Amino acid sequence: GGTGSDLKAAARGMDEHFLVLNGDTLTDINWRVLARYGQWRASGDGGLAAIVSVPNLADYGAVAIDPASSRITGFQEKTGQRRSGLINAGAYVFGPETLNAFSVNGSLEKDCLPALAAAGKLLYRLHDGYLFDCGTPRRVVTRPQLSR
């Protein structure tokens, strides 16, 4: 299975909102605040994703938002464009029924999150702080500062 089905299996039996973190992201997000905010805002079958603004989207997929509703409206794959924008910060709060929407072989970031966004069930919280995505060996060696 994919990361969506792995998450579904790991969270089986959860009866309240829970926090999910990407293991390859270093950040100063306050997890307690994010979890409380997600519990307060996200419905039982929805979720909340932390996002961050970066000066250069060249190596990242972008997140589209609707500020009026605090919802993520979509995700765009990496384009190589050198412009500022919003990216997924790799931290989420999901309601207990959210897992029902996760496909058996789906990827959390390529399948599950876009499906929640398309259904209008994925909120966001903008993080104004440090984020370093260790996603590739080149990034770990060069350690660029993405946001501060």
Side-chain angles (χ1 to χ4, degrees):
T3 52
S5 60
D6 294 341
L7 177 59
K8 193 172 191 172
R12 190 171 290 125
M14 296 291 280
D15 60 357
E16 56 188 73
H17 285 77
F18 57 95
L19 185 64
V20 175
L21 308 172
N22 285 5
D24 63 351
T25 304
L26 301 175
T27 180
D28 61 355
I29 291 173
N30 183 323
W31 309 124
R32 284 191 177 123
V33 170
L34 184 71
R36 284 189 198 125
Y37 185 79
Q39 267 184 307
W40 172 65
R41 289 294 314 261
S43 64
D45 65 345
L48 176 125
I51 61 173
V52 65
S53 178
V54 295
N56 184 357
L57 283 174
D59 291 333
Y60 303 95
V63 175
I65 62 168
D66 174 15
S69 68
S70 298
R71 295 190 190 291
I72 292 177
T73 57
F75 296 88
Q76 181 181 15
E77 286 297 317
K78 298 173 191 172
T79 64
Q81 293 181 339
R82 296 192 176 281
R83 63 176 176 87
S84 64
L86 300 170
I87 65 169
N88 179 350
Y92 318 95
V93 179
F94 295 119
E97 295 87 33
T98 308
L99 298 175
N100 296 331
F102 289 7
S103 61
V104 175
N105 293 315
S107 159
L108 175 64
E109 293 177 332
K110 293 186 188 296
D111 301 310
C112 303
L113 295 177
L116 284 173
K121 295 184 176 185
L122 188 59
L123 301 171
Y124 71 86
R125 181 168 174 100
L126 182 61
H127 174 61
D128 183 23
Y130 180 77
L131 178 107
F132 175 66
D133 178 0
C134 308
T136 67
R138 180 180 59 85
R139 281 194 212 140
V140 172
V141 171
T142 59
R143 290 186 297 278
Q145 183 171 329
L146 292 182
S147 179
R148 182 129 214 152

